[in-house]
Every structure is written in C-alpha cells, then in structure tokens.
Amino acid sequence: MSLKIRNLAIIAHVDHGKTTLVDQLLQAGGTYRDNQAQQERAMDSMDLEKEKGITIKAKNTAIHWEGYTINIVDTPGHADFGAEVERVMKMVDGVLLVVDASGGPQAQTRFVLRKAMQEGLKPIVVVNKIDRPLATPLKVHDQVLELLLDLDADEEQFNAPFCYGSARDGYFMDHPDDERKDCVPLLRKIIEHIPEPKADPDAPFLMLVSNIEWDEYVGRVAVGKVLGGNVKKGDTIYLLRQDGTKVQSKVMKTFTYSGLATADSEGCGAGGIVGIAAGIENIDIGETIAGAADQVPLPFVAIDPPTVSMQFSINDGPLAGKEGKHVTSRAIRERLMRELKTNISITVEDTDLSGVFNVSARGAMQIAVLVEQMRREGFEVLVSRPVVIYRRDDNGKLLEPFETLYVEAPGEYTQGILKILLNRKGMMEHMDTEASGRVFIQALIPTRGLIGFETELVNLTSGHGIMSHLFKEYGLHAGDIQNRTTGTLVSMDSGTATPYSLQMLEERGILFAAPGDAVYEGMLVGENPRVGDLPVNPVKEKHLDNMRSSGKDKTSKLTPAIRFSLERAIEYIDADELVEATPLNIRLRKRILDANARKRAAKGPSVEDRSNRG
C-alpha cells in the first residue's frame, strides 16, 4: 500500500531563509483563505524567536497538496541549538537543505547535514535568495556537491535534486534561468524525491517520542512519527523507558498539526506525525510508546555532549525580590527541571552550596535564551560567566573543547581579526579572499576563546563581521587566555545615581549607570580603562549653600550609559562577577558585594571561609 505522506525537516545556516520558505509552502498548500492575513515567519511562535530573527525550537506543521500530506519540521540554524535538530532526525524521511545563493554552505549547514547523512536521509537542495545582487547559484551548486563529498554521501544522497528560487518572493525553478512563477516545482520535487515513511500499517502501534508539547487541558503531549499500526482515542498504550520499566496508560486525545493550527484528531495511521496525550506526567524525549508491553524500545539518535557550564543562583543582592515574582531557590530549581523535560541538550546539577545550580549546555547563547525566558516569566536569578567543561585523557592530561571558527569580514579588517585570534589562542587553518574584497577565515580555537569573541569582532568591523562556529573535538589545554583587558568602576555606596556624581565619574571611564538608576555597594557602574577595580561613589549629592544652586548642573550633558543585552553581559563579566537578571533590569555586580570581604577573599582560602560565615 502506498502511503501518501512525506515527512521532511528543513535545515540551513542562520538567516538563510528556512522559516520564510515554510511561509511559502504553507501558502502554496492552501493554509490561508483568500481573505486571511498572512503571517510573516509564521513558525517563529516564541517572542524571543520573533525578536532575534532566529529559530530556537524545532516545530512541526503539515500542508496538503494534490492528495498528499507533507509534514514539515522547521529546525534552528544556530549551533547552540543543535540538539533540537538531532532529535527530529528520527521523525523525518528526508531533508530540505536551504543554502544562500551568495553565501553558499556555511558552518551550521555542514553540522546539520552530517547528522542527516548519518541517519541515511535524502536531501533536496534549495538554493535560496537568487534575486540578491551577488548571487552565484551555479557556483553554490558546485560548493554543495563538494560538501556532500566531504560528508561521505552515498550515491543516492550525492545525486540530490536542486531547486533555485526566492522564498521571500515565492517562486522556485528547476534551473536558475527558468520562468519565475510559483512554488509548484519544489512541491513536485518533494513528492517525487522524498521517500514515503518506512512504516507498517499492519504491525502493532509503535512511536518514538521526538518532541514534547504542553496542552492546557490534558498536560504533556508526546509528538512523534507513527512507525507501525495506528493510534486513536481510548487505545491502551505502554510507555517503554530506557531503563526497561513500563507504564500502562490510555490515550485521552490525539492531535494533528496542519497549517498554523494544532487540531484534535480522530487518530493517526502509519507514517503520520501525531501528538498523543495519555496523562503520563513524566514522559520524556527519546522514549518509545507501543501498543503492546512486549515490544522492543526504539533506539534514539545520539546527542552531542554540552561544552560550557554556568552557575545559576538566587538573587542575594540588596534589591532582591523588588521586581520578580519567583525568587526562591526552590522556584528556580523547579523551573530548571521543567526545562530539562523539553530541552535534551541541557543538564542541571545541584552544587554543594545551597541555592546554586550548575547548568551545562552547547554554548553561552543557549543558556542566555533560557535566562531571558526565565526573566520574562518573573524570575530573578544570578548567572556566572560561562566556563568550559574540561576532561582528562588516559594519561591524566587536561583536555578542553576546541571549535572550528568561520569568520567573514571586509578585507581591511583582516589584520585586526588575526590579532584577536592570536590573543585567544586561535590557529588559522584557511583564508580566502573574494573578488568583492570580503575575506573568509577558518580557524581552530578553544571554546574558551570564543566567549566574548563576537562582541570584539562586531566592534572591530563596525558590524560588518559575521562569525559561526562548530564543535570539533577535545584537545590539549591551550594555556591562559586573557578575557578582559579593562577593569571596572565598582560602587562603594547604595542609593540612587545622581547626575552630579556621574559627571565626575565620566572622566574615569565608560558608565553603565544613568541618573536615577538604583545602585548598591558592589555593583559595577562603569568600565575602568586600566586593569583593576576602582571604588567610586555614584550616589554622592551636591553640597548646597546659598551660593550654589541645585539646578545648575542639570544643564550639563552626560554621555548615555551603556545598556548591556543579556548575552553581552554574560560574556563581559569576569570570574569574580555575576549578572543579576530580573524582569525589569540586567545589572552587573561583584560576587562578594562588601569591599573588605573581597580583599580578605583575595588573600587566601582560610580568610575567605571566615568572611563567608560572616
């Protein structure tokens, strides 16, 4: 029996047009009525995704075209969210590889495509944005073939069909010179080249949980591809865990995903993608749901291990509890444990200190997104600088994670970029200059050296530099890397920052605080151009007498204070500093707020113990 179902994932580098392409396919599949307003980047459902312009969570939808159901999974393009891609590979039978017609295949394309190749999935290559001025679609065609060779593609994968077009303008063609009309050539290729699901309608029900969603009425919903039989409301199912235990339950509801909506369904047959609500509270990604207790659990795709770790702790500063609703360590721990259920690439560990948790992930950006989500939910939390996760080899030598770094920038900045790489223990592997004058640099760099690199690159190249990176391997420790060449201005008093005192401080460095900001002892209020911390008083009032008026200094101009984004703040701080993230503010502070206690702590561990008890 032929299954009129096609399951595919859309993979690409950041900003190559995946989500815009899904918009066009939704429109071609008749998702929108003639009089219905079309959403831009409809699959970016999270506020953070819309703001940052990137996909963070993998999400699935379906379109119906000429009697076929095409299930589409939109995946993230940023390396930090790679686990979102890895886990959906078991849910699909082919991939749509989207490549920019001027940029060609980038770092993340290579990473995701390798995962798809290992799973034996067949790609269809979409060369997008061919309407751009510097587009070279035929050159990109050759670059993709070289990439497929690099990744040891088999003959069927190497002979992948190509499609050219513009997702923004809504047309795709078999060749760049064909008529620019609509999306039909791409839909035809999907039906023709993506294999139908390997699923047996006559076998007992079997499904691997690849995603978890939440429904207000029925709780956790397990999403996956039906590999055998069918499922409907009222069926008895068994959850087969990795450790061999089994949980029996009844299906309360099934969901199908079509267009922009999630709808209740009568059930789902073999090969389809379905959501099952069965009242099992702690069902996890990677577990198997079966129709019989004696079935064998399905294998799950291997997930790359985390490489960086950060500490989350309760806010113990003077302003704690004034802005957030959830401020206790129990609330923070529960929120982190809830994140573990849907985000399989993060690990959370309790530490010896009460109210402090170690959170490990793929990269600083992934943890910053989690902190930003917590802020918006009303949490107050302190976050430390990211540290890499070290290992030891068989001979006891210290190993650290290394990444392949790809930098693209105008040629005049090459010398400055190479200097930054040298300072961060990076080793250049390859350099290429295009006719347009842009330079492509490929380097091997310790993960430690990447923390804060992007900010330095953006400042050096006035925003023209683009970087991406990819985990490569664990290698021998590269030695010390200097993180920050500047010191900080540390407040030695608490209160409200005044224009009078900030004018005096402006001569000392760059300010992070503006008049009227609440500051406290130990908070960072500015950057000191020299190495070392400088104690300052930003709350000092002007002494008034009958010769000096209070309003005179209001006419003088203050340079606007620097306001850090969360990612920038996390990269900026040093090992003895923390970021205080609350629903309304992001503040930088010292770990130990009291200046005398900081001095005692710097002298030795015995004194540090005493000051902690006090």
Side-chain angles (χ1 to χ4, degrees):
M1 188 180 95
S2 172
L3 296 171
K4 288 202 153 189
I5 298 172
R6 298 291 182 268
N7 300 322
L8 62 103
I10 299 196
I11 57 176
H13 190 76
V14 178
D15 206 27
H16 279 198
K18 293 183 303 300
T19 310
T20 312
L21 176 59
V22 177
D23 287 354
Q24 290 299 340
L25 293 177
L26 287 171
Q27 192 181 342
T31 298
Y32 300 103
R33 299 186 309 274
D34 291 343
N35 62 344
Q36 188 178 352
Q38 291 174 22
Q39 272 181 267
E40 193 176 323
R41 292 189 293 123
M43 293 296 282
D44 283 350
S45 53
M46 292 165 60
D47 289 344
L48 268 177
E49 291 181 318
K50 283 189 161 57
E51 286 166 29
K52 290 178 179 289
I54 61 170
T55 305
I56 292 170
K57 280 211 158 328
K59 293 172 285 292
N60 49 294
T61 184
I63 61 170
H64 303 281
W65 189 73
E66 293 192 352
Y68 284 86
T69 299
I70 302 172
N71 291 306
I72 302 168
V73 185
D74 187 15
T75 63
H78 197 286
D80 285 13
F81 309 107
E84 292 287 318
V85 184
E86 291 163 345
R87 66 184 171 80
V88 300
M89 288 302 169
K90 288 281 187 190
M91 205 156 67
V92 296
D93 307 292
V95 292
L96 223 57
L97 174 67
V98 184
V99 184
D100 191 313
S102 57
Q106 304 271 325
Q108 183 64 12
T109 318
R110 177 180 293 271
F111 165 76
V112 182
L113 193 58
R114 183 187 292 124
K115 294 281 175 191
M117 295 290 173
Q118 287 166 355
E119 289 294 315
L121 302 177
K122 187 174 177 186
I124 293 176
V125 184
V126 178
V127 180
N128 192 22
K129 305 188 183 183
I130 65 165
D131 54 328
R132 289 179 69 175
L134 295 171
T136 52
L138 296 176
K139 180 185 171 187
V140 170
H141 174 277
D142 295 342
Q143 288 174 338
V144 172
L145 291 181
E146 283 172 26
L147 176 62
L148 291 170
L149 273 177
D150 278 358
L151 298 178
D152 298 327
D154 61 33
E155 192 174 343
E156 195 182 1
Q157 290 169 331
F158 183 74
N159 293 324
F162 277 73
C163 220
Y164 305 86
S166 166
R168 189 194 63 187
D169 297 338
Y171 58 79
F172 291 100
M173 307 91 71
D174 296 329
H175 190 273
D177 301 329
D178 289 357
E179 186 191 354
R180 302 183 173 188
K181 196 173 166 193
D182 53 24
C183 292
V184 171
L186 177 57
L187 289 163
R188 283 219 178 90
K189 277 195 165 62
I190 290 171
I191 301 299
E192 190 182 329
H193 294 283
I194 300 284
E196 65 179 58
K198 293 186 180 75
D200 184 358
D202 302 322
F205 172 65
L206 192 64
M207 181 182 109
L208 181 74
V209 181
S210 299
N211 207 348
I212 295 284
E213 292 189 352
W214 182 263
D215 183 85
E216 290 296 324
Y217 300 102
V218 290
R220 287 171 81 76
V221 178
V223 183
K225 179 171 77 172
V226 179
L227 293 170
N230 55 55
V231 64
K232 60 186 184 299
K233 187 176 175 179
D235 284 359
T236 299
I237 56 165
Y238 296 86
L239 176 67
L240 312 178
R241 297 195 183 281
Q242 309 282 10
D243 59 6
T245 55
K246 295 169 184 172
V247 181
Q248 183 180 343
S249 188
K250 263 200 164 35
V251 177
M252 298 191 297
K253 242 183 185 185
T254 59
F255 298 92
T256 50
Y257 304 88
S258 179
L260 305 178
T262 303
D264 293 5
S265 68
E266 296 299 311
C268 184
I273 290 177
V274 68
I276 295 175
I280 305 172
E281 181 52 40
N282 50 356
I283 189 165
D284 283 326
I285 290 167
E287 295 177 337
T288 302
I289 298 177
D294 56 355
Q295 283 172 268
V296 181
L298 294 160
F300 190 51
V301 67
I303 300 291
D304 287 350
T307 53
V308 299
S309 166
M310 280 158 73
Q311 284 189 341
F312 280 47
S313 53
I314 55 170
N315 186 5
D316 58 1
L319 302 177
K322 293 192 174 179
E323 296 170 8
K325 293 183 292 185
H326 312 297
V327 294
T328 61
S329 61
R330 193 192 67 189
I332 292 170
R333 188 177 189 281
E334 279 177 3
R335 175 64 182 84
L336 292 174
M337 292 304 164
R338 197 163 77 240
E339 184 69 21
L340 283 180
K341 290 184 184 299
T342 56
N343 193 338
I344 49 175
S345 61
I346 280 183
T347 59
V348 179
E349 298 163 348
D350 294 310
T351 63
D352 301 339
L353 301 167
S354 67
V356 181
F357 311 98
N358 270 342
V359 179
S360 304
R362 288 280 181 85
M365 185 179 184
Q366 192 183 9
I367 303 183
V369 164
L370 171 59
V371 178
E372 185 63 45
Q373 285 171 328
M374 289 173 68
R375 272 184 72 202
R376 294 178 183 205
E377 291 163 21
F379 283 86
E380 286 191 15
V381 66
L382 293 180
V383 191
S384 72
R385 181 182 171 83
V387 292
V388 300
I389 298 169
Y390 294 104
R391 291 182 186 171
R392 297 258 175 202
D393 66 4
D394 300 339
N395 303 321
K397 287 184 179 172
L398 189 64
L399 303 177
E400 68 171 319
F402 279 78
E403 313 221 4
T404 305
L405 171 70
Y406 303 87
V407 180
E408 181 188 333
E412 64 262 32
Y413 301 112
T414 309
Q415 210 167 349
I417 293 168
L418 294 178
K419 189 180 175 189
I420 299 174
L421 280 174
L422 190 67
N423 292 342
R424 292 170 172 269
K425 299 283 192 255
M427 290 193 312
M428 193 173 76
E429 293 180 324
H430 180 69
M431 187 164 130
D432 198 15
T433 308
E434 273 198 342
S436 61
R438 286 186 82 77
V439 171
F440 295 87
I441 296 170
Q442 181 182 325
L444 184 68
I445 189 169
T447 304
R448 280 183 303 144
L450 278 178
I451 297 167
F453 179 88
E454 188 162 16
T455 308
E456 216 171 326
L457 177 71
V458 167
N459 290 342
L460 172 75
T461 61
S462 307
H464 292 286
I466 302 168
M467 65 159 275
S468 54
H469 56 91
L470 214 49
F471 172 73
K472 187 176 184 189
E473 62 192 2
Y474 267 82
L476 287 173
H477 189 265
D480 289 337
I481 295 174
Q482 190 175 11
N483 296 323
R484 204 170 68 201
T485 54
T486 56
T488 52
L489 305 179
V490 185
S491 174
M492 54 192 208
D493 207 345
S494 300
T496 304
T498 63
Y500 173 70
S501 58
L502 291 178
Q503 274 165 6
M504 307 286 197
L505 298 184
E506 205 172 23
E507 297 165 15
R508 300 289 182 89
I510 301 163
L511 295 180
F512 304 157
D517 284 0
V519 296
Y520 52 81
E521 186 185 0
M523 183 172 149
L524 310 186
V525 293
E527 183 181 277
N528 180 11
R530 297 181 183 85
V531 177
D533 298 329
L534 186 67
V536 295
N537 185 355
V539 301
K540 192 161 75 174
E541 293 278 2
K542 182 176 180 180
H543 288 293
L544 307 180
D545 54 29
N546 54 0
M547 300 293 289
R548 303 170 75 182
S549 75
S550 63
K552 182 114 180 281
D553 56 310
K554 284 181 183 166
T555 57
S556 50
K557 298 270 193 297
L558 261 173
T559 307
I562 288 180
R563 298 297 191 193
F564 285 93
S565 68
L566 192 58
E567 284 105 326
R568 175 81 180 92
I570 287 168
E571 289 178 341
Y572 181 82
I573 57 172
D574 238 327
D576 66 334
E577 295 161 359
L578 296 169
V579 173
E580 177 187 330
T582 70
L584 301 180
N585 286 292
I586 293 167
R587 302 185 184 95
L588 281 63
R589 52 162 278 185
K590 288 287 180 187
R591 269 181 195 269
I592 304 169
L593 297 177
D594 182 74
N596 294 324
R598 273 203 305 278
K599 283 176 189 164
R600 286 200 297 272
K603 284 179 184 171
S606 57
V607 189
E608 187 180 1
D609 293 344
R610 254 203 327 272
S611 70
N612 279 350
R613 280 209 301 274

